[in-house]
């Protein structure tokens, strides 16, 4: 048993073929995502370093780190305070759009053009809702007086970090929505079908799940901790 | 059989790729000038674009160092003659304005570290050699490869434009530390220069990432049949790991740069806290300049290995070919590269011993830093033992490769001094550090690059460079390099980045030494012009290459035609049967990688006690029968 595994590994790496049995495009996407992990890590570590240098949350100290329940409690069209309700909705939208992306990839494997269009379409809508919600949240917070320099809820560093990091993530989501829309059109006009495979959807799927995963960390940093 | 089909598939992918890139779909043979030389997707052309751009930047970057060395060496002289070039940056007394002196050293460092020794070195040789040495028609994605060059080009343009800003280019050091580089009021170079610097660096990072994705993917996916990872020539391992390091460290510089851009332009305080400028307190609060240093050096230290690894790979190959001996310790060479790659990520704080860090944390970084000297030393010993009793051919590339080893040792030794925090407290930010990193990185990497250029020039351009000029270039450069940087160790209490030390009595004793170093620096620059002339002259008028394999080397690039076209091999891609270092084996000078193992031969690294003499005896029997 072990011997066969070993000899397979040897053959896999002996040239003339892809050792992972994966096309170059997908390998590139994987390495790009690993690399992008490091740019997010750089930002999140900066967040951690700056946050730890500030006084922890303390009702009595207006310069201490703010309480997320206090900062994020608005929901569009509703009055009153609903701590973290809206961001929960955003998070579910994004996770749901990851699920629809998985379905789009599956339909691609089955060479079902209509199925790809349907599920990819839902993914795009999910992404748009997320970006739109973020726009709402930003404008609401700006309205409340939070900017990249100031923060009525506590330590001013919170504002800069929040806008920078959620902005960087939102930028990734927007790029993903654009790429998905492009792939939607390509599918619509049958370009992938003629190519004989929907690998492009798979690659975009990897990117989309990654953006989703990163959100979990961003969410953790700003809304939960 | 199945392997054959996959190879075919690769080819097909390339063909479709190709159609993709030039949508107009014309063929290789009648490509327009633009698609052949400018927006080319052929890795060989892209490599030459990187090389030529790198050479141009090296002339600029080196030229800047001559300017600031003149100011340093002759602090009292009247430099008004520089006015036509530097204009208002020459003070009425005829000195280089202090803020412009700092801009000169900043641009010198940035240009040489990023544009010359990263793009010019790893961009050139990874592009050129990876497909040729692993037996691939081209990079995995020619299009992304082309983008990589053009992002580098854009980045170059932005940096070049910044020279002409009214307030001058960035002047806060190649490391761009805040708050100096975060506050426009802090220095004239910080008014606009740093924004250009940051934009340029961001574009450069994109270029490095696009290039690196290609190098990695190509090495993983497109090796020809039989090219196992442990048969790869060492430069390929070096380029591969360099790309991996780049992919993991440059994004962090991206984050650091974005934060700095925000601080500069949007009024955030990521790096700023409690600052007074001109007696006035700024509103910024809550950030930390030390945070920037951590982020920067998390890239910065790996970056120095991004620069040296390709040079190490090239030197390993050149030393082996020109001493007609297998590289000593092939596997150890690979593992030491790996060890360096891993360790390079956990030593960054040795640049920050003076930031008031907790001494306990400092001592952890001391230990890792000193450990990195071990794989470095393994490599040095392997190079020396490769030379040992070799049939050494002192060709120009070989001279440069040997020079590389010498410089790497000389500069590496002082690294051990600096790695001890207690000693570094004295030496930090002095000319001792300048001497250390110029020898170990600056000049050594240049020597690796020269070794590569002289070695593969015939392959690149189908002509030879002039030998006499090459030897003059070598001797001039190595002598000057040592004359410049060896004496600098004595200036171990002289702080760097000062336009003049004239105001300090203590430093008066260095006046003559500084003048001496300046003269050597100017001479060294002149010797580089000989190289530049030789290089460009030989492209068009050099002696024509007649032999397909002029060095009798084993590797695959020499099995291509003298002037390989797009696709590299006219027929099938060769298959590989052995490692890249079968020199002087079984009585034969060299055995190409494409030659199957003979029946009596045991592959390198396989177990078995092969007696050389036995095998030769057997083979002779064979020939007789
Ligand atoms: C033998 C292993 C090495 C050790 C222990 C070592 C140690 C150090 C230390 C502690 C410093 C900081 C000095 C200071 O600023 O006070 C330093 C600076 C530097 N080293 Fe090394 N080094 C080694 C090898 C290398 C290599 C191989 C390279 C490049 C290829 C390199 C490039 C640099 C550069 C560029 C700087 C200065 C950066 C700056 O401040 O502008 N070093 N080295
Ligand atoms: Cu370092």
């Amino acid at each position: 048993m072990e011997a066969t595994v070993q000899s397979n590994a040897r053959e896999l790496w002996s040239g003339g073929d892809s050792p992972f049995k994966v096309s170059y495009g997908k390998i590139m996407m994987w390495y790009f995502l690993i690399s992008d992990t490091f740019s997010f890590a750089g930002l999140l570590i900066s967040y951690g370093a700056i946050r730890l240098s500030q006084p922890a949350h303390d009702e009595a100290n207006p310069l201490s780190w703010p309480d997320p329940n206090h900062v994020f409690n608005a929901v569009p069209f509703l009055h009153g305070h609903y701590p973290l309700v809206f961001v929960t909705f955003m998070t579910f939208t994004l996770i749901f759009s990851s699920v629809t992306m998985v379905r789009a990839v599956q339909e691609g494997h089955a060479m079902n053009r209509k199925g790809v269009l349907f599920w990819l379409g839902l993914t795009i809508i999910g992404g748009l809702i997320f970006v739109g919600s973020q726009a709402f949240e930003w404008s609401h917070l700006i309205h409340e007086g939070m900017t990249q320099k100031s923060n009525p809820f506590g330590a001013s560093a919170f504002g800069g970090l929040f806008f920078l990091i959620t902005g960087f993530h939102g930028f990734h989501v927007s790029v993903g929505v654009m790429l998905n829309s492009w792939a939607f059109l390509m599918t619509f006009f049958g370009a992938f079908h003629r190519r004989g495979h929907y690998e492009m959807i798979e690659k975009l799927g990897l990117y989309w799940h990654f953006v989703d995963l990163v959100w979990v960390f961003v969410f953790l940093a700003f809304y939960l901790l | 059989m199945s392997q054959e089909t996959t190879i075919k598939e690769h080819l097909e992918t390339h063909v479709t790729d190709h159609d993709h890139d030039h949508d107009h779909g014309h063929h290789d043979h009648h490509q327009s000038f633009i698609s052949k030389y400018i927006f080319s997707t052929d890795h060989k052309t892209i490599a030459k674009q990187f090389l030529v751009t790198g050479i141009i930047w090296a002339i600029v970057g080196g030229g800047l160092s001559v300017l600031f060395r003149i100011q340093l060496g002759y602090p009292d002289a009247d430099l008004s003659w520089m006015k036509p070039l530097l204009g208002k940056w020459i003070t009425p007394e005829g000195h280089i304005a202090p803020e412009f002196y700092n801009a000169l050293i900043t641009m010198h460092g940035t240009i040489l570290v990023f544009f010359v020794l990263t793009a010019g070195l790893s961009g050139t040789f990874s592009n050129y050699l990876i497909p040729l040495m692993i037996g691939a028609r081209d990079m995995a994605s020619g299009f992304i490869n082309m983008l990589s060059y053009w992002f580098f080009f854009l980045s170059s343009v932005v940096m070049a434009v910044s020279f002409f800003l009214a307030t001058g280019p960035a002047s806060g050091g190649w490391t761009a530390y805040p708050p100096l580089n975060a506050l426009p009021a802090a220095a004239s170079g910080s008014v606009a220069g740093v924004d250009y610097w940051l934009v340029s660096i961001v574009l450069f990072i994109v270029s490095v990432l696009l290039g690196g994705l290609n190098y990695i993917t190509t090495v993983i996916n497109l090796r020809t049949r039989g090219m196992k990872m442990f048969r790869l020539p060492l430069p390929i391992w070096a380029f591969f790991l360099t790309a991996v390091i780049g992919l993991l460290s440059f994004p962090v510089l991206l984050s650091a740069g974005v934060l700095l851009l925000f601080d500069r332009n949007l009024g955030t305080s990521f790096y700023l806290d409690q600052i007074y400028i001109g007696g006035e307190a700024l509103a910024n609060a809550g950030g930390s300049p030390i945070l920037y240093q951590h982020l920067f050096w998390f890239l910065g230290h790996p970056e120095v290995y991004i620069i040296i690894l390709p040079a190490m790979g090239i030197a390993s190959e050149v030393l082996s070919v020109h001493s007609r001996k297998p590289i000593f310790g092939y596997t150890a060479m690979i593992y030491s590269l790996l060890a360096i790659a891993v360790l390079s990520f956990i030593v960054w704080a040795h640049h920050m011993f003076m930031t008031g860090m907790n001494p306990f944390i400092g001592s952890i970084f001391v230990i890792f830093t000193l450990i990195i000297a071990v794989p470095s030393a393994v490599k040095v010993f392997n190079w020396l033992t490769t030379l040992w009793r070799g049939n050494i051919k002192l060709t120009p590339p070989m001279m440069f490769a040997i020079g590389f080893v010498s410089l790497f040792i000389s500069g590496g030794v002082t690294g051990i001094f600096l790695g001890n925090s207690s000693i570094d407290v004295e030496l930090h930010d002095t000319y001792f550090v300048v001497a250390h990193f110029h020898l170990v990185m600056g000049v050594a990497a240049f020597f690796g690059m020269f070794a590569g250029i002289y070695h593969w020039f015939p392959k690149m351009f189908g002509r030879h460079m002039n030998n006499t000029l090459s030897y003059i270039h070598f001797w001039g450069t190595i002598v000057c390099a040592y004359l410049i940087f060896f004496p600098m160790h004595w200036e171990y209490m002289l702080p760097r980045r000062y336009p003049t030390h004239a105001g300090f009595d203590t430093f008066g004793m260095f006046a003559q030494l500084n003048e001496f170093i300046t003269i050597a620096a100017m001479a060294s620059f002149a010797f580089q012009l000989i190289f530049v002339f030789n290089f460009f002259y030989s492209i068009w008028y050099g002696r024509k290459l007649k032999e397909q394999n002029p060095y009798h080397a084993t590797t695959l690039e020499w099995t291509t035609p003298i002037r390989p076209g797009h696709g590299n091999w006219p027929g099938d891609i060769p298959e590989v049967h052995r490692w890249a270092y079968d020199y002087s084996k079984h009585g034969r000078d060299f055995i190409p990688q494409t030659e199957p193992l003979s029946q009596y031969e045991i592959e390198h690294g396989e177990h078995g006690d092969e007696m050389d003499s036995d095998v030769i005896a057997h083979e002779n029997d064979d020939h007789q029968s």
Side-chain angles (χ1 to χ4, degrees):
Chain A
M1 189 50 207
E2 215 185 353
T4 49
V5 171
Q6 215 181 20
S7 73
N8 280 345
R10 272 198 182 187
E11 267 166 37
L12 283 180
W13 286 92
S14 64
D17 199 1
S18 163
F20 302 128
K21 303 279 177 226
V22 168
S23 73
Y24 77 82
K26 262 196 256 175
I27 297 192
M28 280 191 178
M29 183 52 89
W30 273 112
Y31 278 95
F32 167 71
L33 295 179
I34 295 174
S35 171
D36 210 18
T37 306
F38 274 70
S39 49
F40 273 107
L43 294 177
L44 287 171
I45 287 171
S46 305
Y47 160 88
I50 292 177
R51 173 166 181 177
L52 290 179
S53 73
Q54 310 278 321
H57 181 66
D58 173 5
E59 289 299 335
N61 179 357
L63 291 181
S64 65
W65 202 255
D67 172 9
N69 291 308
H70 191 59
V71 182
F72 307 105
N73 60 13
V75 175
F77 314 120
L78 293 181
H79 293 283
H81 298 315
Y82 304 96
L84 301 188
V85 170
F86 189 52
V87 73
T88 313
F89 161 74
M90 284 168 67
T91 307
F92 271 111
T93 315
L94 202 58
I95 291 178
F96 185 70
S97 79
S98 246
V99 176
T100 55
M101 191 76 196
V102 171
R103 290 289 295 117
V105 172
Q106 284 174 344
E107 296 295 341
H109 277 300
M111 294 300 283
N112 178 1
R113 195 171 66 96
K114 289 237 168 73
V116 174
L117 284 178
F118 177 74
W119 292 108
L120 194 59
L122 280 185
T123 312
I124 294 168
I125 293 172
L128 284 174
I129 294 179
F130 181 86
V131 177
S133 309
Q134 207 167 29
F136 163 80
E137 193 176 56
W138 274 35
S139 64
H140 173 77
L141 287 171
I142 293 170
H143 193 72
E144 303 257 280
M146 187 159 113
T147 67
Q148 81 278 18
K149 299 193 232 190
S150 60
N151 174 17
F153 306 102
S156 64
F158 184 87
L161 287 168
F162 175 79
F163 286 116
L164 174 69
I165 295 178
T166 57
F168 195 62
H169 176 264
F171 169 72
H172 276 74
V173 179
S174 311
V175 170
V177 169
M178 282 189 265
L179 291 174
N180 286 347
S181 308
W182 165 79
F184 186 86
L185 288 178
M186 292 287 277
T187 314
F188 184 78
F189 292 115
F192 297 140
H193 217 82
R194 280 194 296 279
R195 232 180 247 183
H197 57 79
Y198 282 84
E199 196 188 279
M200 187 54 76
I201 309 281
E202 279 182 62
K203 286 185 264 189
L204 292 177
L206 289 174
Y207 177 78
W208 194 254
H209 299 318
F210 167 79
V211 171
D212 207 7
L213 182 70
V214 168
W215 174 253
V216 173
F217 288 93
V218 175
F219 176 65
L220 192 73
F222 286 101
Y223 297 86
L224 294 186
L225 292 177
Chain B
M1 230 10 244
S2 78
Q3 273 177 330
E4 240 168 69
T5 41
T6 37
I7 298 256
K8 258 208 203 114
E9 264 164 34
H10 284 317
L11 286 181
E12 270 155 23
T13 345
H14 276 297
V15 173
T16 40
D17 253 18
H18 199 72
D19 288 351
H20 226 67
D21 303 339
H22 321 261
D23 265 338
H24 26 291
H26 44 189
H27 288 275
D28 281 356
H29 324 290
H30 23 81
Q31 275 179 325
S32 67
F33 177 81
I34 293 199
S35 69
K36 186 150 180 222
Y37 293 109
I38 302 189
F39 293 108
S40 168
T41 55
D42 183 340
H43 72 102
K44 298 188 291 299
T45 309
I46 296 174
K48 289 173 198 169
Q49 292 174 326
F50 269 107
L51 180 56
V52 171
T53 317
I55 290 178
I56 293 172
W57 272 122
I59 299 170
V60 174
L64 299 179
S65 74
V66 172
L67 293 181
F68 67 67
R69 265 322 311 185
I70 290 178
Q71 163 67 32
L72 258 184
Y74 303 96
D76 304 321
D78 182 5
L79 304 180
S80 305
W81 54 268
M82 285 187 189
K83 265 214 162 122
L85 184 63
L86 301 185
K88 65 172 191 238
W89 297 113
I90 298 293
T91 61
E93 300 84 55
H95 303 315
I96 295 180
E99 58 271 36
F100 198 67
Y101 174 89
N102 280 334
L104 288 174
I105 57 161
T106 302
M107 286 294 126
H108 165 77
T110 307
I111 289 169
L112 283 147
V113 167
F114 292 114
F115 292 172
V116 181
L117 293 178
T118 304
L121 177 55
S122 125
T124 303
F125 287 102
S126 304
N127 267 311
Y128 196 75
L129 293 178
I130 289 178
L132 282 174
M133 281 187 144
I134 68 173
R137 300 263 175 213
D138 203 322
M139 284 287 173
S141 166
F143 178 66
I144 291 185
N145 209 21
M146 177 185 85
L147 279 187
S148 162
Y149 173 74
W150 286 103
F151 268 99
F152 169 44
F153 186 83
L154 266 181
S155 150
S156 297
V157 170
V158 175
M159 195 65 86
V161 167
S162 80
F163 275 101
F164 301 99
L165 294 169
T167 45
S171 63
W174 77 279
T175 52
Y177 281 0
L180 185 58
N181 289 278
L183 300 167
S188 71
S190 295
V191 178
V194 178
D195 287 323
Y196 281 73
W197 190 92
L198 285 168
V199 170
S200 170
I201 292 297
V202 167
L203 293 169
F204 186 78
I205 294 171
V206 174
S207 158
V208 171
L209 296 183
L210 294 175
L213 288 174
N214 247 319
Y215 309 151
I216 293 175
T217 316
T218 307
V219 172
I220 290 180
N221 257 18
L222 295 185
R223 281 164 293 117
T224 182
R225 255 176 304 161
M227 186 60 95
K228 301 175 183 167
M229 291 304 275
F230 281 88
R231 280 176 178 171
L232 285 173
L234 286 172
I236 304 300
W237 266 103
F239 302 146
F240 177 70
L241 292 172
T242 302
V244 172
I245 303 177
L247 231 48
L248 301 183
S249 61
F250 269 104
V252 179
L253 180 65
L254 180 79
S255 314
V258 170
L259 291 170
L260 190 54
L261 270 172
F262 267 58
D263 271 6
R264 292 178 50 77
N265 297 303
L266 297 176
T268 53
S269 309
F270 299 124
Y271 300 136
L272 301 171
D273 193 17
Q274 302 181 345
I275 294 173
Y276 289 80
I277 282 196
E280 223 178 293
L282 301 187
N284 303 78
S288 157
I290 305 294
L291 170 64
Y292 176 87
Q293 297 193 19
H294 279 293
L295 293 175
F296 181 87
W297 285 113
F298 186 85
L299 156 92
H301 188 85
E303 166 66 13
V304 305
Y305 283 96
I306 288 172
I307 286 173
I308 208 69
L309 252 50
M312 290 173 160
I314 290 170
S316 306
E317 179 72 17
V318 169
L319 285 171
S320 171
V321 172
H322 296 269
S323 42
R324 317 307 300 163
K325 267 185 69 186
I327 188 81
F328 189 92
Y330 173 77
T331 335
M333 284 305 223
I334 294 173
Y335 284 118
S336 56
L337 283 175
L338 271 165
I340 290 176
V342 173
L343 287 169
S344 72
F345 282 98
I346 48 174
V347 299
W348 77 88
H350 64 214
H351 297 274
M352 301 167 56
F353 288 140
M354 289 292 279
T355 55
M357 68 165 64
N358 181 328
F360 176 71
I361 295 184
S363 63
I364 292 178
F365 280 100
V366 168
I367 291 172
F368 285 134
T369 301
L370 296 183
I371 290 178
I372 212 170
V374 175
S376 310
V378 167
K379 302 198 78 71
V380 167
F381 286 120
N382 283 345
W383 289 319
L384 295 179
T385 28
T386 301
L387 290 174
W388 177 252
R389 306 186 70 179
N391 176 5
I392 295 177
K393 309 260 185 290
L394 289 176
T395 56
M398 182 64 159
M399 302 290 270
F400 276 98
I402 296 173
F404 163 84
V405 177
S406 157
L407 290 156
F408 186 74
I409 298 173
S410 311
V413 165
T414 50
I416 317 247
F417 291 43
L418 296 169
N420 292 280
S421 54
S422 49
I423 305 179
D424 186 58
V425 167
E426 289 295 321
L427 297 175
H428 178 65
D429 255 346
T430 66
Y431 276 86
F432 191 88
V433 177
V434 177
H436 157 68
F437 70 76
H438 276 90
L439 284 178
V440 74
M441 175 180 79
V443 195
F446 255 101
F447 270 54
M449 183 153 79
F450 285 134
I453 294 174
Y454 283 111
H455 187 81
W456 280 288
F457 188 92
K459 186 75 251 165
M460 286 184 172
F461 298 102
R463 289 173 188 271
H464 291 280
M465 288 176 77
N466 179 296
N467 252 357
T468 317
L469 290 181
S470 309
Y471 285 119
I472 297 177
H473 174 223
F474 169 77
W475 284 112
T477 311
I478 192 152
V479 168
C480 287
Y482 272 120
L483 287 182
I484 296 169
F485 294 112
F486 223 87
M488 262 190 205
H489 292 97
W490 273 274
E491 303 183 328
Y492 61 85
M493 69 274 260
L494 196 63
R496 64 197 270 217
R497 296 177 172 166
Y498 281 56
T500 167
H501 303 87
F504 307 89
D505 288 343
T506 341
F507 301 137
M509 61 181 176
F510 293 124
Q512 277 174 313
L513 188 54
N514 268 338
E515 188 182 337
F516 174 82
I517 292 176
T518 297
I519 294 170
M522 291 191 284
S524 138
F525 187 72
F527 282 111
Q528 304 321 303
L529 296 180
I530 296 180
F531 163 78
V532 173
F533 169 77
N534 192 358
F535 180 84
F536 286 107
Y537 182 85
S538 306
I539 292 181
W540 286 284
Y541 305 107
R543 190 162 47 86
K544 275 206 167 140
L545 177 68
K546 299 253 165 51
E547 254 180 295
Q548 197 183 9
N549 185 0
Y551 306 116
H552 302 286
T554 59
T555 40
L556 290 183
E557 76 272 27
W558 303 108
T559 62
T560 60
I562 290 185
R563 283 175 179 272
H566 203 163
N568 297 340
W569 286 268
D572 289 342
I573 300 182
E575 192 177 336
V576 161
H577 299 279
R578 56 176 78 236
W579 73 328
Y581 297 100
D582 273 339
Y583 289 102
S584 305
K585 189 182 188 190
H586 299 176
R588 286 177 59 187
D589 182 36
F590 75 106
I591 311 179
Q593 279 192 279
T594 48
E595 188 174 313
L597 292 174
S598 86
Q599 157 185 20
Y600 307 109
E601 229 181 325
I602 292 172
E603 160 130 44
H604 162 80
E606 301 283 322
H607 295 290
D609 26 23
E610 175 187 21
M611 294 286 291
D612 238 25
S613 48
D614 280 5
V615 179
I616 292 169
H618 279 300
E619 282 191 338
N620 286 345
D621 288 354
D622 266 12
H623 287 306
Q624 276 155 22
S625 54

